[in-house]
């Protein structure tokens, strides 16, 4: 079946417009996230890293209601640059890198479950989320652990035995921070694996 050349060029034109609009939206979101005012939680996490740097122990030397995994993660930044606003700015850049990683991982998970078209539509919709600017690029432990969780979820959704141990390890690591969100993690994990397995089964049957 031949494809109408006119429709082919129109599809390419619309695709280019979509890509350009999404790219401009991404630049706007990243700029807003980078230059957004510092939240008190961000400075609080910096303070926790400072206390750990000075040899104090969480839970005994000072009150901490979560694990210090995130603060160990950002501590090298402050060890190199010192505890100043320049180091905090670099830490926020690292959070933006994690944000881009989450966008990519989420895109791959949605593509695995719902297909390529929905996955591409998902990206600008996620960028339009107002909480993207408010918290998704701030210096928060959630942004590291959700990235780890999404990576584990993607590996688990691929249903390859050699990846199951790595996926389990990543999901367990993410849940060290999110014990209070365990039910939501369990629901999203099982739902994603079920949907991915169902779609893969359809593709395998179609290939036979």
């Amino acid at each position: 079946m031949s494809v109408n050349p006119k429709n082919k060029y129109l599809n390419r034109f619309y695709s280019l417009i979509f890509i350009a609009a999404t790219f401009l939206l991404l630049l706007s979101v990243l700029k807003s996230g980078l230059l957004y005012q510092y939240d008190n939680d961000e400075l609080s996490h910096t303070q926790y890293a400072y206390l750990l740097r000075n040899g104090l122990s969480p839970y005994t030397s000072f009150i901490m209601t979560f694990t210090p995994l995130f603060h160990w993660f950002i501590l090298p930044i402050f060890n190199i640059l010192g505890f100043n606003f320049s180091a905090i700015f670099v830490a926020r850049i690292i959070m933006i890198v994690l944000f881009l990683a989450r966008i990519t991982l989420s895109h791959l998970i949605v593509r695995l479950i719902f297909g390529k078209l929905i996955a591409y539509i998902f990206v600008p919709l996620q960028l339009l989320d107002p909480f993207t600017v408010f918290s998704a690029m701030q210096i928060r432990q959630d942004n590291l652990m959700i990235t780890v969780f999404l990576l584990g979820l993607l590996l688990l959704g691929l249903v390859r035995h050699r990846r199951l141990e790595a996926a389990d390890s990543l999901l367990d690591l993410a849940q060290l921070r999110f014990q209070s969100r365990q039910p939501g993690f369990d629901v999203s994990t099982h739902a994603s694996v079920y949907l991915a397995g169902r779609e893969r089964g359809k593709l395998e049957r179609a290939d036979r």
Side-chain angles (χ1 to χ4, degrees):
M1 181 177 180
S2 61
V3 179
N4 190 329
K6 183 178 180 180
N7 292 337
K8 182 179 180 181
Y9 289 126
L10 279 176
N11 290 336
R12 289 183 177 179
F13 177 71
Y14 293 142
S15 298
L16 289 175
I17 291 179
F18 176 82
I19 293 172
T22 303
F23 180 72
L24 292 175
L25 176 62
L26 176 62
L27 290 181
S28 176
V29 169
L30 293 181
K31 181 180 178 181
S32 299
L34 182 63
L35 302 179
Y36 193 74
Q37 65 184 10
Y38 289 113
D39 187 82
N40 59 337
D41 286 346
E42 295 183 276
L43 301 180
S44 176
H45 291 306
T46 302
Q47 176 69 11
Y48 282 130
Y50 174 81
L51 295 175
L52 293 174
R53 173 66 178 80
N54 285 275
L56 279 74
S57 300
Y59 317 120
T60 57
S61 303
F62 57 91
I63 296 175
M64 177 180 275
T65 58
F66 31 74
T67 61
L69 294 176
F70 173 72
H71 309 93
W72 290 335
F73 174 77
I74 64 174
L75 188 55
I77 301 171
F78 297 99
N79 284 337
I80 295 172
L81 301 177
F83 286 87
N84 49 55
F85 282 105
S86 296
I88 296 175
F89 186 76
V90 172
R92 181 169 278 189
I93 292 176
I94 299 300
M95 295 300 105
I96 289 177
V97 173
L98 291 179
F99 169 74
L100 293 174
R102 290 196 304 278
I103 290 286
T104 303
L105 292 171
S106 299
H107 169 80
L108 294 175
I109 292 172
V110 172
R111 180 171 180 170
L112 184 67
I113 298 173
F114 299 107
K116 183 169 28 175
L117 177 61
I118 301 300
Y120 283 119
I121 296 175
F122 166 81
V123 173
L125 291 179
Q126 186 173 18
L127 291 174
L128 289 170
D129 181 1
F131 286 102
T132 293
V133 175
F134 296 142
S135 62
M137 287 175 279
Q138 290 183 351
I139 306 170
R140 297 174 178 271
Q141 72 274 22
D142 304 27
N143 293 330
L144 172 64
M145 295 307 173
I146 291 177
T147 306
V148 174
F149 174 77
L150 288 174
L151 179 58
L153 190 62
L154 178 62
L155 292 178
L156 193 61
L158 292 175
V159 192
R160 297 285 190 272
H161 293 297
R162 62 187 178 185
R163 296 191 179 98
L164 287 181
E165 291 185 4
D168 289 341
S169 299
L170 290 170
L171 293 174
D172 290 340
L173 179 62
Q175 290 167 10
L176 285 176
R177 167 61 188 90
F178 285 122
Q179 290 295 329
S180 61
R181 302 183 186 182
Q182 182 70 41
F185 269 37
D186 289 341
V187 170
S188 60
T189 300
H190 287 88
S192 298
V193 172
Y194 167 75
L195 291 172
R198 187 182 66 178
E199 294 302 315
R200 181 171 291 104
K202 291 180 180 178
L203 293 175
E204 290 177 351
R205 288 191 295 270
D207 293 337
R208 291 174 183 172

